[in-house]
Amino acid sequence: MDIHGIALDGRQVLAYHDHNGAAQRPRLLKELAAGKSVAYASEAGTPLIADPGFQLGREVAEAGHLVTSAPGPSAVVAALSISGLATDSFFFAGFAPTASGQRQTFFRSLDDVPGTLVFYESPNRVAKSLADMVKVFGPDREAAMAREVTKKFEEVVRGKLGELADTLSSRKIKGEVVLLVSRGQAAHFDEADLESLLAVALKEGSVKDAVANVVQETGMPRRRVYQLALAMEKDT
């Protein structure tokens, strides 16, 4: 603030970091609830990207306060900063294919990426992409749609994928859109566990149905389950 000639005029400057975050967040939320504004600035790069401010941004958003970005270098980073999703590791996947089948295959290839997934999307395809994401990733992954980030009509819609798909299915979306999906939280199943589940499922239906049932039951990446199912089919 000194560099830019901005007088403090009695405003407080507080340190916020990993060691004091738990104590500082309630204090800052109290200030916001009182109608004050809080500016968060990082001394080590863009705020909230692999930065201790992630939890602060998330809790402020959950409390219903506006979280916005004083424009970052790109929509990817700006949207990620205010999405409420983890920022320690993320993968920018660009635009998904326009055809539904190819789009689902594309999403499936990213199912086991150990980080938040970030996509650009045409406003006309948001509903279709979200519907395909639900089919591939399931309805329970945390997600967000960031629209017109840093502009007059900026909007962030947060929730589980199924909720977003329902909420935005009939809405007319305008502007530049970024879709974000949290990393999978699959439980750990070893090969023997998956083989046992697949053996039962394959007796009751096709490979496609068996894979879908086991993926839904375990939360494991579809690609891994599918490859194992094919190998088991080949050996029988």
Side-chain angles (χ1 to χ4, degrees):
M1 293 179 76
D2 183 62
I3 290 173
H4 292 285
I6 302 172
L8 285 176
D9 291 332
R11 289 173 292 196
Q12 291 180 292
V13 177
L14 305 174
Y16 180 94
H17 45 72
D18 280 333
H19 302 295
N20 72 354
Q24 289 284 47
R25 285 193 294 275
R27 179 179 179 180
L28 294 171
L29 285 167
K30 184 178 179 180
E31 298 287 358
L32 287 165
K36 296 183 180 180
S37 297
V38 174
Y40 178 79
S42 172
E43 63 180 4
T46 300
L48 310 188
I49 302 299
D51 176 272
F54 155 66
Q55 193 62 43
L56 173 62
R58 184 183 183 92
E59 290 190 18
V60 169
E62 288 175 347
H65 300 294
L66 173 67
V67 180
T68 187
S69 170
S74 74
V76 173
V77 175
L80 192 62
S81 296
I82 60 178
S83 68
L85 303 179
T87 61
D88 56 326
S89 179
F90 65 91
F91 182 83
F92 175 55
F95 283 93
T98 57
S100 180
Q102 294 177 342
R103 190 162 52 232
Q104 289 184 41
T105 299
F106 174 67
F107 291 151
R108 201 167 289 124
S109 72
L110 303 170
D111 197 19
D112 55 359
V113 171
T116 298
L117 301 175
V118 187
F119 305 89
Y120 283 159
E121 188 51 279
S122 161
N124 298 322
R125 289 196 297 269
V126 168
K128 293 179 180 178
S129 281
L130 287 172
D132 284 338
M133 286 178 178
V134 170
K135 291 178 182 177
V136 174
F137 301 133
D140 295 326
R141 280 209 202 181
E142 294 294 326
M145 180 200 72
R147 182 178 70 88
E148 292 291 271
V149 177
T150 76
K151 300 176 185 177
K152 181 178 180 180
F153 297 105
E154 177 179 302
E155 176 187 29
V156 182
V157 182
R158 305 176 181 88
K160 293 185 177 181
L161 264 177
E163 296 169 347
L164 258 64
D166 289 341
T167 300
L168 302 175
S169 61
S170 58
R171 260 191 60 181
K172 185 172 180 59
I173 307 296
K174 294 183 179 181
E176 296 180 353
V177 174
V178 183
L179 295 176
L180 307 100
V181 181
S182 69
R183 73 191 72 188
Q185 300 293 332
H188 294 288
F189 290 83
D190 60 27
E191 211 79 351
D193 294 328
L194 291 178
E195 285 185 2
S196 297
L197 292 170
L198 277 170
V200 174
L202 286 168
K203 290 178 182 178
E204 300 174 351
S206 65
V207 171
K208 180 180 179 181
D209 291 338
V211 169
N213 290 336
V214 172
V215 168
Q216 183 175 6
E217 182 176 351
T218 65
M220 295 299 291
R222 186 180 298 270
R223 181 171 56 181
R224 178 183 173 189
V225 177
Y226 181 68
Q227 290 173 344
L228 181 58
L230 290 180
M232 291 173 64
E233 280 282 282
K234 186 176 180 181
D235 291 338
T236 57

